[in-house]
Amino acid sequence: GLVATGEAEAGVAITSESTVPVVANGIASSGNSPGLVLATYEPEAVINVTDASAIGSVSSPGVVIYGNGAVNLAAATVSDNILGGILVQNEENVVRISGSTISGNGSIDGASDIGGILVFSDGGDVSIDRSTISGNTAVVGAGIYSFRGELQDPSVVRITSSTISGNTAERSGAIQLENGVTAMISHSTITDNTSKDDGPAVELEESDGVISHTIIADNRQGTDLFAEPETTINYSLIGQV
């Protein structure tokens, strides 16, 4: 496939509309730029990005992912982006974020719509594996916020072997999933997040899923978890509910 490397002060856009994987290594975007844009235009399209950084954007989220193919983002650093860390606009695509750090994103006053990761999903599958999401701020879901669009197709957010801590929002300091997005959370730690409205750090509103081998405890200014009755919790430590 195509291999790209490099740095840019004005943002980086990588697109794919073929079955030949696009591979990018060591891509960096910093400063007053649109950040890193990863776009797939066909269901068979694949983009693999390793060791990327998106730091300090003031004009858009650090990383924007959209389309209907597959995007794999590994060993990335996404930090200090004023309008948020990662925006995923899912159209039945598969997005995998692994071994990455998403930190310090969102405006200081907490007015950003996006903190660490926002997933607007119409049938997509987003996986976050072996990653740290910390110190982000937003109005809702400062760590991860996801909701379904008008198509109402099945959508899943998977969080595995990850740490979500030190995030702050008016509502749901750590995670907010709503409108039928399914949560699959396993072997993860969610702690020390702040919800200024004294609500839960993790809120699954009109959403269900499975929480297993996970710690959700010691979050600030509220409870730790609100989940619909259909949610299954196995072998996990849950603080206040």
Side-chain angles (χ1 to χ4, degrees):
L2 172 67
V3 178
T5 63
E7 298 182 359
E9 291 296 324
V12 180
I14 301 173
T15 65
S16 176
E17 53 185 313
S18 75
T19 58
V20 179
V22 175
V23 179
N25 301 311
I27 297 294
S29 173
S30 64
N32 186 12
S33 72
L36 176 61
V37 178
L38 308 174
T40 55
Y41 296 110
E42 295 293 340
E44 297 82 9
V46 178
I47 297 175
N48 298 321
V49 178
T50 302
D51 193 27
S53 64
I55 299 172
S57 174
V58 298
S59 58
S60 83
V63 179
V64 177
I65 300 171
Y66 67 91
N68 57 356
V71 173
N72 300 302
L73 181 63
T77 299
V78 182
S79 64
D80 302 322
N81 298 287
I82 299 299
L83 297 184
I86 300 176
L87 170 61
V88 180
Q89 295 178 290
N90 250 358
E91 299 174 9
E92 299 185 355
N93 60 338
V94 175
V95 175
R96 293 186 175 90
I97 300 167
S98 61
S100 296
T101 299
I102 300 112
S103 66
N105 299 288
S107 60
I108 296 174
D109 61 7
S112 303
D113 291 327
I114 308 172
I117 301 172
L118 185 144
V119 180
F120 174 73
S121 189
D122 270 325
D125 189 318
V126 175
S127 298
I128 301 157
D129 180 43
R130 294 173 289 108
S131 295
T132 298
I133 302 172
S134 65
N136 302 287
T137 60
V139 176
V140 178
I144 301 169
Y145 180 27
S146 181
F147 55 93
R148 289 198 298 176
E150 295 181 357
L151 297 180
Q152 297 292 292
D153 289 333
S155 302
V156 181
V157 172
R158 307 175 193 273
I159 303 166
T160 306
S161 301
S162 294
T163 298
I164 302 174
S165 67
N167 303 287
T168 301
E170 294 295 328
R171 175 185 174 195
S172 305
I175 299 171
Q176 171 82 15
L177 304 186
E178 59 188 50
N179 196 24
V181 175
T182 298
M184 305 294 288
I185 305 173
S186 65
H187 297 90
S188 295
T189 299
I190 302 169
T191 187
D192 196 32
N193 300 282
T194 300
S195 304
K196 293 183 179 179
D197 67 351
D198 295 330
V202 177
E203 183 168 358
L204 308 182
E205 180 184 4
E206 298 181 357
S207 297
D208 57 18
V210 177
I211 300 171
S212 63
H213 300 90
T214 288
I215 298 171
I216 305 176
D218 293 330
N219 292 287
R220 300 174 181 270
Q221 281 188 241
T223 58
D224 291 292
L225 172 67
F226 171 82
E228 300 290 351
E230 295 82 5
T231 301
T232 300
I233 302 175
N234 296 321
Y235 305 107
S236 296
L237 172 62
I238 310 296
Q240 299 182 53
V241 295

